[in-house]
Amino acid sequence: MIKKPIVAANWKMYKTPQEGVFFISELNNLLLDKEKPSIIFCPPFTSLFHMNEMISDLDISLGAQNVYFEKDGAFTGEISMSMLKSCGVQYVIVGHSERRHIFNESNKDTNKKLHTVLENDIVPILCVGEKLEDRESGNTRMILMEQLKDGLVGINKDMIDRMIIAYEPVWAIGTGVNALPSQVEESHAMIWEILLELYDNNIKNNIPILYGGSVKPDNSEELIRTKGVDGFLIGGASLNLDMFSKIIEIVHNKFMR
């Protein structure tokens, strides 16, 4: 995978299919004929089919917020990889903090999902990040090491080259609390150091590392200029047309001029 600027939207449990299609249409009108970074939308499952039809002729990619690791079976409420692929999904978010801490998904669960996504030639967006108490106690690197080491079991260097990693400190997600650029730079450097350690310095420096955590237009310019940040995974601000389009423009101006 060639490292390039990425702006990914995680809509979580917001927007109906109709609202999602309207949003994409309006965004496309704003960005028409403009150069832009790679844009990925990760809407709720119910919107995937409709949005795939909408973006088929647009320079926009589609992602899912989750997947189950089994191929099929009696797993009420779950979604398989083949179902996602039939909706045109190209990316899948894996290991988001809300899956880890609300739904109690373990690093082992994350690892199973990673294998499923990669085996289906889809790009996973692996989320990692520490809680506030971990940061305050100086355990950020330990948590990142655990999440990466356990999450990447059986993932060889060729497979990891097909991944995206997103650093999302739990204490900055949906809280309005902004991580300082120095904190983001330090954590992204830790992630890269851990990857080099896990793979004996035998991986290419082209794995995108995104930042996510209360990203808004007023802090995105400073954050995108932070060393080691290759783009954003955005929650709340991606639901607002004006805010999201401004962030896209800011990222474009940083990387593409």
Side-chain angles (χ1 to χ4, degrees):
M1 179 183 296
I2 299 172
K3 184 182 285 190
K4 56 184 177 180
I6 296 168
V7 179
N10 177 15
W11 278 356
K12 307 189 180 186
M13 201 172 70
Y14 294 99
K15 294 193 183 295
T16 64
Q18 293 75 20
E19 290 169 339
V21 167
F22 178 78
F23 188 99
I24 295 292
S25 177
E26 292 297 296
L27 181 69
N28 186 57
N29 289 336
L30 286 175
L31 301 178
L32 197 63
D33 298 327
K34 293 182 179 179
E35 290 188 36
K36 47 190 175 289
S38 296
I39 300 173
I40 304 168
F41 276 97
C42 301
F45 290 134
T46 53
S47 296
L48 291 173
F49 177 80
H50 301 277
M51 287 181 61
N52 181 48
E53 290 190 326
M54 176 71 184
I55 67 174
S56 59
D57 296 324
L58 306 178
D59 190 20
I60 293 173
S61 299
L62 192 63
Q65 298 176 21
N66 190 27
V67 68
Y68 195 56
F69 53 81
E70 294 286 0
K71 182 179 179 181
D72 51 33
F75 304 107
T76 300
E78 295 295 342
I79 302 290
S80 72
M81 198 63 247
S82 62
M83 294 173 182
L84 295 181
K85 290 178 73 173
S86 72
C87 292
V89 163
Q90 298 165 274
Y91 299 85
V92 178
I93 297 174
V94 178
H96 191 278
S97 65
E98 289 159 4
R99 299 302 311 179
R100 294 177 187 270
H101 302 301
I102 296 177
F103 298 98
N104 299 313
E105 292 186 1
S106 65
N107 290 327
K108 185 175 181 179
D109 294 326
T110 298
N111 178 255
K112 290 179 180 178
K113 293 181 180 186
L114 270 181
H115 279 276
T116 297
V117 175
L118 287 165
E119 287 164 5
N120 281 273
D121 296 321
I122 302 298
V123 178
I125 303 174
L126 171 63
C127 298
V128 296
E130 79 283 10
K131 294 181 179 179
L132 181 60
E133 56 263 36
D134 298 317
R135 173 161 286 274
E136 290 181 337
S137 60
N139 290 327
T140 295
R141 194 182 195 283
M142 181 186 76
I143 296 300
L144 293 176
M145 171 60 87
E146 288 177 357
Q147 292 175 344
L148 289 168
K149 183 178 180 179
D150 295 345
L152 293 172
V153 170
I155 304 294
N156 62 39
K157 64 182 181 65
D158 295 322
M159 296 166 74
I160 196 171
D161 194 45
R162 294 155 44 205
M163 290 174 51
I164 295 170
I165 293 176
Y167 170 63
E168 292 198 308
V170 180
W171 48 273
I173 299 176
T175 63
V177 177
N178 298 327
L180 298 174
S182 58
Q183 294 173 313
V184 175
E185 180 178 347
E186 179 185 44
S187 296
H188 280 226
M190 284 181 188
I191 290 170
W192 184 242
E193 289 169 1
I194 291 168
L195 291 176
L196 289 175
E197 182 177 335
L198 292 176
Y199 290 90
D200 297 322
N201 297 305
N202 197 22
I203 53 174
K204 300 174 183 177
N205 186 20
N206 62 353
I207 302 168
I209 303 180
L210 313 183
Y211 172 71
S214 297
V215 176
K216 296 179 176 62
D218 60 2
N219 66 2
S220 59
E221 183 166 1
E222 187 175 29
L223 286 169
I224 201 60
R225 294 181 180 277
T226 300
K227 184 178 180 181
V229 174
D230 301 307
F232 297 128
L233 177 58
I234 305 170
S238 72
L239 298 165
N240 181 286
L241 185 64
D242 290 336
M243 294 176 70
F244 192 58
S245 61
K246 287 177 182 175
I247 293 172
I248 290 171
E249 183 177 355
I250 288 167
V251 173
H252 163 74
N253 290 338
K254 164 63 172 66
F255 281 93
M256 311 292 282
R257 61 188 176 187

